[in-house]
Amino acid sequence: MGEYFEQSWEKLVSAFENFNAYNALEIVLLAFVVYGLLVFLKNTSSLRLLKFLGIFIIAGILLNATIFRNNFIILPQLLNNYLLYIFVAILLLFPNELRRGLWRLSSPKAVSSIFNATKGANEQDLRKVVAEVVRSLQNMAKKNIGALLVVVPDNTLGSHIIDSGTMLDAKLTGALIESIFITKGPLHDGAVIVKGDRVIAAGCFLPLSQNQNISKLLGTRHRAAIGVTENSNAVTIICSEETGVISVAKDGILKSYYDGIMLQDVLEQVLGLKVNKATKINNTMSNI
């Protein structure tokens, strides 16, 4: 093992002594690959698997050492393609995360505009939207009234979802939202689609999440809220009919027990009224 590290150190020293433009290009390309992996893993359930992938990679490097390659027969042959195995595993296990990650990498401008859904509305109108949504959700939470709002910051939401409901294209007010969900009308079971300061549609059907790691205690409304965020940049707000708990789903991750301040913060971000740290970093990267 000592011989292996000694040889590696000599190769590293030699590489620095013969550093050229091709080596610089290689470093830049590697940096882009690492950045792409971080974008892919960020805010997804696959982030927790990063440490396991790291362990496998380190194990692969160590087992490729001369002392093992000269004495083992099967493992070295398998480890020759271990990176390919990891890539195939990612394709099979995380298709939704990969699709969303590729969309972000291929659309740097879209990354910087994720929290920008003004759509013609001015700041005053959008702040009124935030206040109306927060007030209506809190009112429904007190009465244990189930509700599902999908706030769309861009055009990644499929048109088939909007077409599955009833088109409204109405000015958003708290009274409108409450009237949709409080009454036992035909629209209260579906989702309300919100874009900017408009209620685009109501009674929409959302795709259920197929994530097997989701708690079995979650009902259809919560699974639908998670499902629509797995393939789009939509943010969903859910009010539980059983408990009155307000939850928010984003990027396939559900977080519960939101109060008025937390809900206001989320809405300000998705409507472009507040830029969070992640957005600042993405803006900086896109300007380099």
Side-chain angles (χ1 to χ4, degrees), residues 139-147 178 181-182 239-241 244:
N139 288 342
M140 290 185 288
K142 293 177 182 177
K143 302 175 184 177
N144 282 24
I145 296 172
E178 291 184 46
F181 292 109
I182 289 178
C239 182
S240 172
E241 189 172 357

Side-chain angles (χ1 to χ4, degrees), residues 136-149 181 184 188 217-223 225 236-248 254-258 263:
S136 63
L137 263 295
Q138 288 181 322
N139 288 342
M140 290 185 288
K142 293 177 182 177
K143 302 175 184 177
N144 282 24
I145 296 172
L148 176 56
L149 271 70
F181 292 109
K184 295 298 181 181
H188 85 284
L217 299 177
L218 295 180
T220 303
R221 181 177 284 116
H222 288 78
R223 288 182 173 273
T236 56
I237 305 172
I238 316 100
C239 182
S240 172
E241 189 172 357
E242 290 76 20
T243 63
V245 173
I246 298 175
S247 305
V248 173
L254 180 73
K255 297 182 180 179
S256 301
Y257 298 100
Y258 272 68
L263 191 56

Side-chain angles (χ1 to χ4, degrees), residues 3-4 7 61-72:
E3 180 184 354
Y4 170 75
Q7 292 176 354
I61 294 175
L62 293 178
L63 290 175
N64 265 312
T66 304
I67 186 173
F68 291 111
R69 295 185 67 86
N70 292 339
N71 295 281
F72 290 170

